[in-house]
Structures are given as structure tokens and as C-alpha cells.
Amino acid sequence: DHNKLALPVGTTLDRFIMRKQEDFPYATGELSQLLRDIALAAKIVNREINRSGLIDIAGAYGSQNIQGEDQQKLDVIANIRFIRALRNGGEVCTIISEEDEDMIQTGNNQGKYVVAIDPLDGSSNIDVNVSIGTIFSIYRRISPTGTEGTEQDCLQTGTHQVAAGYVIYGSSTMLVYTTGNGVNGFTYENSLGEFFLSHPHITTPKTGAIYSINEGSSEYFSEGTAAFVAHCKQQGYSARYIGSLVADFHRNLLKGGIYMYPATKKAPNGKLRLMYECNALAFIVEQAGGKSSNGRSRTLEQTPQSLHERSPLFIGSTELVEKAEEFLAAEYSDA
Ligand code: P6P
């Protein structure tokens, strides 16, 4: 039937979401609406980011922006915008955000979903015009509707995600997401205010020749990490490290490669957050045919203990992640 036809490039995000919902006979539309709410917030944040340079110019004459409001950092603005869109959309009962220590209750106690979000990752890159991103992960709540979401709702293992995605605010703005049936990428057309399907059914190469890691931390690498990085150099791979997770991840997803933020002597659990950075990207990369690990085990099977816990991350082409795990296993077997 027409649902099974690959939707043509150029389909709008709204039509794509509607058509995919029809693939699920029991779908009642809440997840579709939630995805639309996220896309709306992404459009608003995209506009704020594009204006930020101009506001800074205006703000150069004091910390007030043109509306006379105190100039807020863009990651704070992004957090407000995504929380407001999810609250107004009504589908989400509880949010955990990189910007907030505690769970955020939206007041929609009938909401079936919980969202974990990094509203604007890599925001230190904004002032130097480097690509930045939003990362989100969606779970169905475990607790009964009619009550506030619980910490248990927010600490589900990554395999329980119903959807995950990211927005990359780069040379063009893209929304890339999965609901467990493959990965699709949409490019934003500013003049029309629409996301259009530009990268249907993204699959990541099984191997690659790009490795992404901050080699400034080499002094603190474990033996296994250092050995794998040396291996990448012996193989003649290119070192590509933008310092913005979404940008590094997206390039490797399309071209093949591995991104690493390992455990180091300075950061024993790495730097990246499990719930709204590692798990979301791990779901996406697996749906695209890649792999994600903390160096020893599958990212998606890690049992979360706290809302903002960190996890080491080795993510990208399957063969490269497996090779990295081999090098790290050697250090564990020595231990
Ligand atoms: P480092 C940005 O602050 C971020 O969270 C990711 O976007 C990025 O990949 C990483 O940290 C960069 O960290 O320690 O290499 O500067």
C-alpha cells in the first residue's frame, strides 16, 4: 500500500510524520504531535541562534538586547523554548534537561511521554560560529497517567527509547531522528519555515577513515585508548574534531568514522551525559547500522543511576567501535 512506498525527497516533516503514523494501526497520534512540538521549538531556536550575532552587536552597548531584556545565554533561551513547546504540546509529563538539576514537571499529568534533552550542546561554540546542536530522547512513562512523572520514568535504559533525534544548527539546519524504524534527515528551509526530507533512510558506513577525539587529553588516556588512537594513525585515518558533539557525530554518521569521549584519568566517566547525549545518539547510530559503546558494553544497555550521570562514549561505524573495544579489552584483561 502507499504507506510502504518510500516517501519522496522533499516531503515535508509534517506529511512524513503523518504518513509514518499510519504505519502504526494503534497509534493515537500523541508521539506524532510530540515530534511536531520538538520541530516547532527547533525552528524558534534556529531563529534565535541566527539572530544572536546581531543581538550581540546591539548588546555591545550594554547587556540589554534590542527588546531591552537582559541578554540571556542562548543555551538558557533554548532550554526555555523547548520546555515551553513541550509543556504547551501537552504530550509530555516530565522533562530532564542538561540545564536543570531536577526533573521538570510540565503539569500535563495525562502526558504519556518523558523527554530527556540537551537543549543546546556545545553552546560555547556559538560565539565563534561553529555548528551546535540539540539532542533529545523520548520514553513512554512507566508510572500511571494522572500523576506527576517519577525519577523511575526518567531513568529508563536506552533500549526503552521510543524515539531520539538531534537538530544540527550548521551551514544548514537539519533535524535527524528515529522512532525505531530507521533514521531520516530533514533540512530546514528558512524562507518557508518548513523541514523537508533531504536524507531518507540514513545508513552509516560499516567502517570509516575518520577518528574524532580530543588529543589534548592524550596525557590522561588509558593504555587501551592510547593504543587505539595510535592504531588509527597507523591506518592513516583523518583526525576530525570540531568540539561540538552533534557536528562530529553527524559528519561521521554520513561519512563513516568513530567519535570518542573516553574515560580518562581526569574524567573517570568521560564528560558526556548518558540520558540526553549518549543514549539518544546510540539509538540513532544503531538504527543507521552503526554501534555505540562505553568502551566495554553497549551504551543502550547501561542502567542509569542518576539523571545527569556521565558515560564514556565510543560511537560510529561498527567495525571501528569493535576495534576500539578490542584495544580497551586488552587493558582490562591486564588489570
Ligand atoms: P572537550 C561541548 O562542550 C561538548 O559537550 C560536546 O559538544 C563536545 O564534543 C565536547 O563537549 C568537547 O569536550 O573536552 O573535548 O572540549
Side-chain angles (χ1 to χ4, degrees):
D1 58 359
H2 76 283
N3 281 341
K4 296 300 174 207
L5 294 177
L7 287 157
V9 167
T11 299
T12 65
L13 175 62
D14 271 355
R15 178 177 298 281
F16 182 89
I17 291 172
M18 182 181 65
R19 189 71 65 79
K20 289 297 178 185
Q21 178 185 318
E22 289 162 5
D23 292 353
F24 293 86
Y26 305 104
T28 48
E30 287 99 338
L31 180 59
S32 296
Q33 188 49 50
L34 171 43
L35 290 168
R36 288 189 191 94
D37 297 337
I38 287 175
L40 172 61
K43 294 177 184 178
I44 294 168
V45 170
N46 181 62
R47 186 191 60 198
E48 303 273 5
I49 289 169
N50 290 343
R51 285 192 321 196
S52 67
L54 294 174
I55 293 174
D56 286 355
I57 292 169
Y61 304 102
S63 64
Q64 307 270 305
N65 61 24
I66 34 184
Q67 287 87 356
E69 296 147 3
D70 282 343
Q71 180 55 45
Q72 286 173 312
K73 282 162 56 73
L74 268 170
D75 42 10
V76 171
I77 292 173
N79 193 44
I80 291 166
R81 292 297 190 173
F82 275 99
I83 291 169
R84 188 180 302 168
L86 293 174
R87 176 176 284 122
N88 294 345
E91 308 301 348
V92 172
C93 62
T94 305
I95 301 165
I96 59 171
S97 166
E98 202 263 352
E99 296 289 327
D100 291 272
E101 190 55 37
D102 301 319
M103 289 185 289
I104 300 152
Q105 300 296 351
T106 64
N108 304 319
N109 289 346
Q110 295 304 326
K112 288 164 56 176
Y113 294 102
V114 166
V115 170
I117 188 164
D118 188 352
L120 203 56
D121 175 74
S123 50
S124 57
N125 291 308
I126 295 168
D127 302 339
V128 294
N129 214 18
V130 165
S131 301
I132 47 183
T134 296
I135 310 169
F136 63 89
S137 172
I138 303 173
Y139 293 85
R140 191 168 288 103
R141 71 184 298 174
I142 305 169
S143 58
T145 53
T147 59
E148 285 192 341
T150 64
E151 192 146 287
Q152 191 197 11
D153 287 325
C154 298
L155 290 177
Q156 301 179 54
T157 57
T159 48
H160 292 164
Q161 290 175 88
V162 293
Y166 59 86
V167 184
I168 177 166
Y169 311 94
S171 44
S172 65
T173 290
M174 281 189 68
L175 168 64
V176 176
Y177 78 92
T178 181
T179 57
N181 294 284
V183 180
N184 291 282
F186 300 80
T187 299
Y188 187 55
E189 169 47 65
N190 262 303
S191 63
L192 300 175
E194 285 279 9
F195 280 102
F196 291 93
L197 180 65
S198 54
H199 296 66
H201 200 58
I202 296 175
T203 53
T204 195
K206 279 281 168 258
T207 190
I210 293 173
Y211 73 101
S212 308
I213 190 168
N214 185 339
E215 297 205 49
S217 306
S218 298
E219 287 301 301
Y220 305 100
F221 287 169
S222 69
E223 281 169 33
T225 297
F228 176 67
V229 169
H231 165 77
C232 291
K233 293 176 175 168
Q234 284 150 14
Q235 297 296 310
Y237 296 166
S238 293
R240 291 285 183 275
Y241 195 72
I242 300 169
S244 187
L245 173 59
V246 171
D248 279 316
F249 175 82
H250 183 70
R251 179 209 49 243
N252 291 357
L253 181 75
L254 298 184
K255 295 192 164 189
I258 182 169
Y259 173 95
M260 295 169 272
Y261 207 104
T264 66
K265 296 168 188 117
K266 265 197 310 185
N269 287 313
K271 171 182 182 183
L272 302 177
R273 310 286 184 169
L274 177 60
M275 295 315 294
Y276 38 78
E277 289 173 326
C278 302
N279 267 337
L281 299 183
F283 187 19
I284 292 166
V285 84
E286 288 197 2
Q287 283 289 313
K291 193 175 174 94
S292 180
S293 158
N294 63 9
R296 300 187 81 173
S297 60
R298 188 183 175 210
T299 299
L300 291 181
E301 290 178 359
Q302 290 177 223
T303 304
Q305 307 294 336
S306 65
L307 300 180
H308 302 284
E309 74 181 61
R310 301 174 193 270
S311 169
L313 184 67
F314 293 75
I315 190 166
S317 297
T318 298
E319 289 179 14
L320 297 179
V321 174
E322 288 175 346
K323 180 60 78 176
E325 287 180 321
E326 277 174 37
F327 278 91
L328 272 85
E331 79 185 32
Y332 292 120
S333 57
D334 294 352

